[in-house]
C-alpha cells in the first residue's frame, strides 16, 4: 500500500478541478452518451460541445475522414442551441461531482456576450470556454482566433459579461500563438485551452473528390500532438495564464507530456472515440505516476521539461 | 442502455471468398438483448493507423460469442483479415437501432446486396422463429459472392438470387428482381427490409414507394465514435415535414426508406 | 500492352522535369547516397540538401525523434557549404539525366543573393529553391518565411541575382499561406514548394527532457499530409504559380492526392528513409495510373479535385 | 558499395529471456562481405506508427540467412517481438563501418554489456578463426541476462562474467572487472572492443586510456535513414584536433573511443 497521497487538484484561473483530466469539447457530447464507460464523478472536468445561441444543423455529410494517426472533421458546430442546452442537457451534468466547462461559439461579439450572460446565470456551469477557433463554419469564431485586435475586443467584452472563469480556446492555425495568448491575458482571460484542430484536407483519389463535404476540415488525433506540445511549451514560457493542454492525447504518458510542457490540466478528445474509457484510465494512470514518483501536487511538475541548450 | 466495451479475442476465421471474411469472436453480450441490424465497433488495440474503430453488423450471436462477416475494402478491414485466432480485438456494442419486426401476418421481403446480407441474417432468423413468411432476395456481382444462401434456405425462407453477371439466378440488379416479383404477384400485407450499398438502398426505396410497402433500410456512413457523440455519421432525414441530420450510429442504422433524403454522399 | 503513352513531363516555371516526381531537400543527400536504390535517371528531379555560403556543423544530438506517423528533426542545416558543394557534390549529379534543384539558405538577404549568383554560374544547376522556412536554426530563413514584407524583399533580390527558375519553399507555420504565396508571385518567383516542416516538440516523460536537443524541431511524414494538401489546395486556387507539393508522401496514391489538390510536381521526403526505393515506385505508379485512365498529360488533372458545396 | 534492401521473412523466433528475442531471417547477403559490427535497418512494412525502421546489429550470418538478437524496449521492438515465422520484414544492409581486426599477435579483449553482446559475436568468431587470443567480458544486470556465454566459450575464448546484482561472476560493472583484469596482469599487446550502453562505453574508454590500449566501441543513436543522408544520427568526434559531427550509421557505428567527445546525449 502506498500511503503517499498526492494532491491532484488543479485550478485554471478559478475553474477548480479535482484532478487535471478533462474531456475536450465536441468529443464527449453532453456527458450522458458516455455514461456506461466513464464515471463522471471521477473526471476533473467536462468541456461540452460548442453551444450557439440558436440550434445549428451543421454541415452536410461526409463529415469525417481518417488520416495517418489522425482524423479530419467538418461537423460545423451542429448543436441543440442555448435553450435546449439549459433545459435538456445541463440538468444531467449537474448530477455529477465534476466541473462543467461550457464551450461557446458565435458569429459576432454580441453572440458571445449574450451566451456569456445567459450561461452565467445557469446553475452548474463552472467555467466558460470561448471557441474562437472552429475551422468548420464560415464564421465560426475562427476570424477572432487569428486576429489579435478582434480577439482582444471579444475577450474584453466577454470578460465584462461574466464573472465565471473565462478560458479562451486558441486556434493553432497561426504564425504566432504567443501573441494571441498574450492578448487574451491582457484582456482579462483566466486561462487558455490549447489547441483546437489544424486545418487539413484529404482527397479520395478514386473519385477525385474531397473526402469532406466542405473540402477542408479540422485535423485532430495523435498526428497533431507534437504541434500541440510545442504550442503549449511556447505559451507556457511567456504567458502566465494556466493552460488546458490537448491534441492527440491517448494515454497517461501523453497527458504527462503536456503537463511537463506547461499545461496545468489536459483534455482528451479524439481518443474518446477509439477507447471510450480512456479518460478514466488517464485519471488512474496520473494518480499512480504521482504516487510512484512521490510528487506532492500537479503544479510541482507543470512546465518542468528540460531543454538542453 | 446496454452497451459494453469488451476485450475480445478472435476464436475462428475463414475466407468465404477472396475478399470476404467470416470471424467468430469472444463476446458475452446477452443474445436476447441484441436487435437484428445492430452493430459493433471494432478496434485493433493500440494501432494509430488506422486510428478509428470500424463498424460491423452483428451477423450472428450466441452466448459467449458473436460472428461478423466482412469484406476487405481498405486498410482497416485488410489488417483485420490478417489477424489470426487468439489475437485481441475490442468490441463496443451492441450499437444503434435495428430492424423492428412487423405486425403478425405480414410477409417480410428481405433484400441484401453483397456483404449487406451480414446485416440481415439475424432478422431472417428472428422472423422465422416467430413463423413469419419470409422471402430473401440475395444480390451480388457474381455467384461466388452470393452470401448466406444456404442459411437463409435452411431457415425456411424462400430464397431468390440475382447476379449482375448472370452467373446465377436473375441476371441484373437484385432490386429489379424484387420489382418483378412484386409486379407479378403483389402480396397482401408485406414489408421490405434492405441492406446494401447506398445507391441500392435508394433503388429499393423507390420499389417500396411504387408498391406502397413500408420499407426499412440499414444505412452506412463513416463513423467516429459510434456512440452518438461526434456527429460524424449523420444523414439527412425528413420527419414531420422538415429535414434534419440524424446519426446512423444512434437514430440508425435502420431508417424508414421514405424518410431518407436520398442523394447525400458518404 | 498499353499503347497509350501519357506525357509525364512537367514544367515548374522553367524548371523542366521528365516526370513530376522529385525527392525533397534534406532527405536525399546529394544523390550518391541512394545510388544503390534509385536510378537517378528515372527521377524527375532532385532537390539537394540546403546549401549555405559557409559549411555548417548543425545542432547537437539528439536530432531526431519519432512521433505518431511522423518524425521531428533538428538537423540545423548541417552542410558542406557552397564551395564543397560545387567541387565535390555537383559533379556527381551532373552525370545523370535528372533536373537538379539547389536548395539554399542563409542569414541575410546578401547570403541568399551571393548563393544565387554563384550557383547561377555553375554547370548542372537547373533551378534554385529558396529555403525561407527552416525551423531549426535561430536565423535559418524562417523569419523571411513568415513576414510578407521581408519575404518580398528577399525574393525580389534573388530574382535580380539569377536567371535560373526561382522556386520559393514556404513555411506552413503561418496563419495565411496564400498571402505569402502571392508575395512570391508578385516579386518574381517562378514556382512554389509547399510545404516545409511544421514546428513541433516531443518530451521524454521518463527523463522529463525534450527529445530534441533544441526542444523544438520540424515535423514531417504522413502525419502532416492533410495540412500540406490543404495548403496546396488553398494556394493553387488563388495563385497562378506552379507548385511542387510535399509533406508525407509515401506512395502513388499520396502523390496523386497532391496533384489533384493543385501540385504540378511532387517531392518525396521522409518516406525515402523508410523505403529507399519509394521514389522509383511512385514514378512507375504514376505512369501506370495515367495509362490506365488514359490521361494525356499531367496538367490535365492538376488541381481538378471536386469539392461538394 | 554493397547495400541491399531485402524483402525478407522471419524463419524462426525464440525468447532468450522475457525481453530478449533471437530471430533468424531470410537474407541473401554474402557473409564474407559483412564486417563484424555492421548492422541492418529493419522495417515492418506498411506501418506508419512506428514510422521509421529500427537498427539491429548482424548477430550471425550464414548463406541465405541472418540472425539478430534484440531487447524489447519500446514500440518498434515490441511489435517485432510479436511477429511470427512467415511474416514479412524488410532488411536494409549491411550498413556502417564495423570492427577492424588487429595486428597479428595482439590479444583482443571484448567487452559486451547486455544486448551489446549481439554486436560482438561475429567479431569473436572472426578473431578466433584467425587464432587470435580472445578474452570476452560479459556484463549484465543479473545472470538471466548474460548473453552468448556458451557461444563465446565454445569459440575458444576465455570468458569473464560480471553481474550487477552479483548473481553470477564478478559482482559489479563489467568495466570494473576489465580494469581489475588489466591491473592484475597487464597484457603485452592488446586491444579493447566494446559494445553496450553509452555510459558503459564511456567508462570503457577511460579504462582503455588508463592502460594505453587502443579501444574501439560500437555506438548507438536514433536513426532516420541509416544511409548517411538525414544527418540525424551524429555524435561529436575529435579528429586532428578539431571536433565535428560524424554519423553513427556511416562513419560508425564503430569509433575509436579516444576520439569520441563523450557527454553527448542520444
Ligand atoms: C452500421 C454499419 C455496419 C456495417 N456492417 C458491415 C458488415 O457487417 N460487413 C462489412 O463488410 N461492412 C460493414 N460495414 C462497412 C464497413 O464498416 C466498412 O467497409 C469499413 O469500415 C471499411 O474500413 P476499411 O479500413 O477497410 O476501409 P477504408 O476505405 O480504408 O476506410 C477509410 C475510412 O472510411 C470508412 N469507411 C469506408 N467505407 C465505409 C463504409 N462502406 N461504411 C462506413 N464507413 C466506411 C472507414 O470506417 C474509415 O474511417 C458497416 C458499416 C456501418 C456504418
Ligand atoms: C547501429 C545500432 C545497432 C543496434 N543493434 C542492436 C541490437 O543488435 N540489439 C538490440 O536490442 N538493440 C540494438 N540497437 C538498439 C535498437 O535499435 C533500439 O533498441 C531500438 O531502435 C528501440 O526501438 P523501439 O521502438 O523498441 O523503442 P522506442 O523507445 O519506442 O524507440 C523510439 C525511437 O528511439 C529510437 N531508439 C530508442 N532507443 C534507441 C537506442 N538505444 N539506439 C538507437 N535508437 C534508439 C528508435 O529507433 C526510435 O526511433 C542498435 C542500435 C544501433 C544504432
Ligand atoms: C469530431 C470533433 C468535434 C469537435 N467539436 C468541437 C467543438 O464543438 N468545439 C471546440 O471548441 N472544439 C471541438 N473539437 C476540438 C477538440 O475539442 C480538440 O480541441 C481537438 O480535437 C484536439 O484534441 P484531440 O486531438 O485529442 O482530439 C472537436 C473535435 C472533434 C474531433
Ligand atoms: C531530416 C530532414 C532534413 C531536412 N532538411 C531540409 C533542408 O535542408 N532544406 C529544406 O528546405 N527542407 C528540409 N527538409 C524538409 C523536407 O524537404 C520536406 O519539405 C518535409 O520533410 C516535408 O516532406 P515529408 O513529409 O515527405 O518529409 C528536411 C526534412 C527532414 C525530415
Ligand atoms: S459515429 Fe459519432 S455520432 Fe455517430
Ligand atoms: S541515420 Fe540518417 S544519417 Fe545516419
Amino acid at each position: 500500500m502506498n500511503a503517499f497521497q498526492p494532491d491532484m487538484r488543479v485550478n485554471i484561473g478559478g475553474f477548480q478541478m479535482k484532478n487535471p483530466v478533462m474531456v475536450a469539447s465536441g468529443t464527449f457530447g453532453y456527458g450522458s452518451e458516455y455514461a456506461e464507460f466513464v464515471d463522471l464523478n471521477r473526471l476533473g472536468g467536462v468541456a461540452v460541445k460548442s453551444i450557439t445561441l440558436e440550434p445549428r444543423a451543421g454541415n452536410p455529410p461526409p463529415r469525417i475522414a481518417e488520416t495517418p494517426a489522425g482524423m479530419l472533421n467538418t461537423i460545423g458546430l451542429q448543436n441543440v442551441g442555448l435553450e435546449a442546452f439549459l433545459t435538456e442537457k445541463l440538468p444531467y451534468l449537474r448530477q455529477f461531482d465534476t466541473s462543467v466547462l461550457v464551450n461557446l461559439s458565435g458569429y459576432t461579439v454580441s453572440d458571445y456576450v449574450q451566451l456569456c450572460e445567459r450561461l452565467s446565470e445557469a446553475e452548474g456551469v463552472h467555467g466558460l470556454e470561448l471557441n474562437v477557433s472552429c475551422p468548420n463554419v464560415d464564421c465560426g469564431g475562427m476570424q477572432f482566433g487569428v486576429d489579435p485586435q478582434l480577439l482582444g475586443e471579444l475577450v474584453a467584452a466577454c470578460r465584462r459579461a461574466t464573472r465565471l472563469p473565462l478560458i479562451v480556446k486558441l486556434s493553432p492555425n497561426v504564425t504566432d500563438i504567443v501573441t494571441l495568448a498574450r492578448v487574451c491575458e491582457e484582456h482579462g482571460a483566466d486561462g487558455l485551452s490549447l489547441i483546437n484542430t489544424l486545418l487539413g484536407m484529404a482527397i479520395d483519389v478514386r473519385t477525385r473528390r474531397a473526402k469532406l463535404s466542405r473540402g477542408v476540415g479540422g485535423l485532430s488525433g495523435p498526428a497533431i500532438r507534437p504541434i500541440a506540445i510545442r504550442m503549449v511549451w511556447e505559451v507556457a514560457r511567456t504567458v502566465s495564464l494556466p493552460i488546458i493542454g490537448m491534441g492527440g492525447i491517448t494515454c497517461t504518458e501523453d497527458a504527462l507530456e503536456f503537463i511537463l510542457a506547461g499545461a496545468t490540466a489536459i483534455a482528451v478528445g479524439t481518443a474518446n472515440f477509439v477507447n471510450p474509457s480512456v479518460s478514466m484510465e488517464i485519471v488512474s494512470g496520473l494518480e499512480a505516476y504521482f504516487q510512484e514518483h512521490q510528487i506532492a501536487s500537479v503544479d510541482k511538475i507543470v512546465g518542468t521539461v528540460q531543454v538542453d541548450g | 442502455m446496454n452497451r459494453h466495451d469488451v476485450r475480445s479475442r478472435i476464436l475462428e476465421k475463414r475466407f468465404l471468398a477472396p475478399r470476404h471474411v467470416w470471424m467468430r469472436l469472444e463476446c458475452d453480450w446477452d443474445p436476447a438483448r441484441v436487435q437484428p441490424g445492430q452493430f459493433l465497433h471494432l478496434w485493433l488495440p493500440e494501432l494509430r493507423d488506422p486510428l478509428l474503430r470500424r463498424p460491423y453488423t452483428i451477423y450472428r450471436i450466441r452466448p459467449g460469442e458473436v460472428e461478423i462477416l466482412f469484406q476487405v475494402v481498405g486498410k482497416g478491414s485488410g489488417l483485420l483479415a490478417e489477424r489470426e485466432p487468439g489475437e485481441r480485438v475490442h468490441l463496443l456494442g451492441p450499437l444503434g437501432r435495428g430492424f423492428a419486426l412487423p405486425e403478425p401476418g405480414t410477409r417480410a421481403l428481405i433484400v441484401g446486396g453483397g456483404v449487406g446480407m451480414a446485416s440481415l441474417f439475424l432478422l431472417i432468423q428472428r422472423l422465422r422463429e416467430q413463423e413469419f413468411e419470409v422471402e430473401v432476395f440475395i444480390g451480388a456481382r457474381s455467384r461466388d459472392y452470393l452470401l448466406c444462401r444456404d442459411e437463409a434456405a435452411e431457415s425456411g425462407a424462400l430464397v431468390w438470387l440475382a447476379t449482375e453477371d448472370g452467373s446465377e439466378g436473375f441476371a441484373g440488379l437484385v432490386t429489379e428482381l424484387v420489382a418483378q416479383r412484386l409486379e407479378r404477384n403483389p402480396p397482401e400485407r408485406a414489408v421490405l427490409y434492405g441492406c446494401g450499398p447506398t445507391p441500392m438502398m435508394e433503388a429499393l426505396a423507390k420499389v417500396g414507394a411504387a408498391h406502397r410497402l413500408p420499407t426499412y433500410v440499414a444505412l452506412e456512413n463513416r463513423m467516429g465514435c459510434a456512440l452518438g457523440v461526434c456527429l460524424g455519421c449523420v444523414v439527412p432525414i425528413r420527419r414531420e415535414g422538415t429535414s434534419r441530420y440524424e446519426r446512423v450510429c444512434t437514430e440508425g442504422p435502420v431508417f424508414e426508406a421514405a424518410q431518407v433524403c436520398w442523394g447525400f454522399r458518404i
Side-chain angles (χ1 to χ4, degrees), chain A, chain B:
Chain A
M1 287 286 85
N2 201 321
F4 183 78
Q5 275 305 334
D7 181 356
M8 299 302 288
R9 289 173 304 174
V10 297
N11 180 344
I12 305 289
F15 183 73
Q16 311 267 359
M17 287 187 280
K18 66 167 72 133
N19 67 52
V21 181
M22 301 189 65
V23 283
S25 175
T27 66
F28 207 76
Y30 301 106
S32 59
E33 294 88 342
Y34 275 95
E36 287 125 314
F37 309 101
V38 174
D39 175 1
L40 264 70
N41 295 307
R42 293 268 288 145
L43 279 184
V46 172
V48 300
K49 171 81 188 158
S50 279
I51 301 292
T52 52
L53 276 179
E54 303 299 328
R56 295 267 281 259
N59 294 331
R63 287 182 172 185
I64 60 176
E66 229 182 5
T67 67
M71 69 175 277
L72 290 166
N73 87 75
T74 178
I75 307 302
L77 293 185
Q78 174 176 346
N79 80 99
V80 295
L82 177 64
E83 293 311 324
F85 171 71
L86 292 174
T87 56
E88 293 163 26
K89 305 294 181 182
L90 193 55
Y92 179 84
L93 284 166
R94 272 203 295 265
Q95 303 172 69
F96 299 96
D97 176 23
T98 191
S99 302
V100 174
L101 186 64
V102 178
N103 182 296
L104 45 100
S105 190
Y107 292 112
T108 63
V109 174
S110 145
D111 287 353
Y112 282 94
V113 167
Q114 285 180 63
L115 283 161
C116 286
E117 286 168 352
R118 291 293 309 282
L119 286 161
S120 301
E121 295 157 12
E123 193 197 324
V125 176
H126 304 108
L128 301 179
E129 183 176 52
L130 302 186
N131 181 359
V132 295
S133 43
C134 180
N136 293 326
V137 286
D138 284 327
C139 245
M142 178 92 156
Q143 79 279 22
F144 295 110
V146 300
D147 182 326
Q149 176 75 27
L150 291 179
L151 183 63
E153 288 166 18
L154 177 71
V155 174
C158 291
R159 176 71 295 168
R160 287 188 294 271
T162 186
R163 281 195 294 206
L164 285 174
L166 188 64
I167 291 162
V168 185
K169 183 162 178 181
L170 291 179
S171 166
N173 301 294
V174 296
T175 310
D176 181 9
I177 190 93
V178 171
T179 298
L180 294 156
R182 270 216 200 88
V183 163
C184 294
E185 186 175 33
E186 286 160 11
H187 291 82
D190 297 307
L192 299 169
S193 282
L194 293 173
I195 60 175
N196 211 316
T197 53
L198 280 134
L199 271 173
M201 182 177 190
I203 297 170
D204 185 327
V205 169
R206 211 178 34 79
T207 61
R208 299 187 199 166
R209 300 177 73 154
K211 287 193 180 169
L212 299 180
S213 62
R214 283 174 53 94
V216 304
L219 182 64
S220 63
I224 70 168
R225 195 168 64 236
I227 300 168
I229 293 284
R230 185 261 297 179
M231 290 191 165
V232 168
W233 184 69
E234 281 181 351
V235 171
R237 294 203 310 165
T238 43
V239 176
S240 62
L241 291 180
I243 296 170
I244 306 173
M246 69 198 80
I249 295 176
T250 66
C251 62
T252 302
E253 203 171 293
D254 298 345
L256 281 165
E257 211 180 329
F258 275 89
I259 294 173
L260 293 168
T264 299
I266 61 94
V268 184
T270 302
N272 291 310
F273 305 159
V274 180
N275 175 5
S277 52
V278 62
S279 53
M280 294 288 89
E281 292 169 14
I282 295 176
V283 170
S284 313
L286 283 182
E287 268 170 23
Y289 179 90
F290 278 75
Q291 276 178 356
E292 190 190 324
H293 293 83
Q294 305 260 318
I295 303 166
S297 61
V298 178
D299 56 297
K300 294 273 184 286
I301 60 164
V302 170
T304 57
V305 60
Q306 271 188 56
V307 174
D308 293 1
Chain B
M1 263 175 278
N2 175 31
R3 305 177 298 190
H4 307 272
D5 188 16
V6 180
R7 278 144 205 268
S8 158
R9 279 178 196 278
I10 299 169
L11 296 170
E12 202 180 344
K13 173 178 87 168
R14 218 161 46 224
F15 280 83
L16 305 183
R19 305 181 76 79
H20 281 171
V21 184
W22 167 87
M23 261 187 193
R24 196 161 55 85
L25 306 156
E26 259 177 31
C27 185
D28 61 2
W29 300 335
D30 178 359
R33 303 188 64 171
V34 172
Q35 303 162 18
Q38 281 193 307
F39 66 100
L40 51 80
H41 211 29
L42 185 150
W43 188 35
L44 298 174
E46 315 312 338
L47 284 193
R48 304 279 157 83
D49 183 44
L51 178 66
L52 299 172
R53 291 180 179 237
R54 295 292 186 262
Y56 290 108
T57 309
I58 297 169
Y59 167 51
R60 301 168 77 134
I61 183 159
R62 267 190 301 273
E65 55 187 56
V66 67
E67 294 171 32
I68 60 175
L69 206 158
F70 66 94
Q71 191 173 5
V72 175
V73 300
K75 194 184 298 190
S77 49
L79 282 171
L80 179 60
E82 285 175 11
R83 297 284 157 125
E84 297 298 334
E87 294 197 72
R88 294 182 305 133
V89 295
H90 291 209
L91 307 179
L92 182 65
L95 300 172
R97 290 210 292 218
F99 294 102
L101 302 198
E103 295 292 294
T106 312
R107 174 175 291 263
L109 279 66
I110 295 182
V111 189
V115 77
M117 278 308 297
S119 303
L120 298 168
F121 181 74
L122 216 54
L123 176 64
I124 299 171
Q125 207 178 34
R126 297 275 164 94
L127 287 165
R128 290 299 303 145
E129 277 166 17
Q130 302 191 23
E131 299 188 353
F132 282 92
E133 296 287 337
V134 178
E135 299 180 33
V136 180
F137 298 77
I138 308 179
R141 246 173 306 153
S142 72
R143 60 179 305 169
D144 292 346
Y145 296 91
L146 289 166
L147 290 175
C148 305
R149 49 198 289 191
D150 296 342
E151 292 90 329
E154 279 161 27
S155 77
L158 180 65
V159 178
W160 304 74
L161 302 177
T163 55
E164 287 173 48
D165 66 357
S167 51
E168 182 145 358
F170 176 82
L173 297 174
V174 67
T175 45
E176 295 164 3
L177 175 61
V178 175
Q180 267 192 17
R181 147 78 185 82
L182 288 172
E183 273 146 36
R184 291 195 185 156
N185 182 13
E188 265 306 276
R189 278 170 62 199
V191 56
L192 280 172
Y193 296 107
C195 185
T198 309
M200 173 186 154
M201 292 302 95
E202 186 174 353
L204 190 67
K206 290 214 180 87
V207 174
H211 294 267
R212 293 209 182 71
L213 295 179
T215 305
Y216 298 92
V217 292
L219 297 182
E220 293 190 347
N221 203 347
R222 305 185 201 162
M223 286 197 179
C225 63
L227 292 172
V229 159
C230 74
L231 308 178
C233 65
V234 300
V235 290
I237 300 292
R238 202 180 302 104
R239 283 199 210 272
E240 295 144 25
T242 63
S243 93
R244 58 186 201 187
Y245 291 122
E246 295 196 2
R247 297 163 294 186
V248 169
C249 71
T250 305
E251 283 81 39
V254 175
F255 291 94
E256 201 181 326
Q259 297 184 328
V260 177
C261 309
W262 298 101
F264 62 87
R265 184 159 80 92
I266 66 163

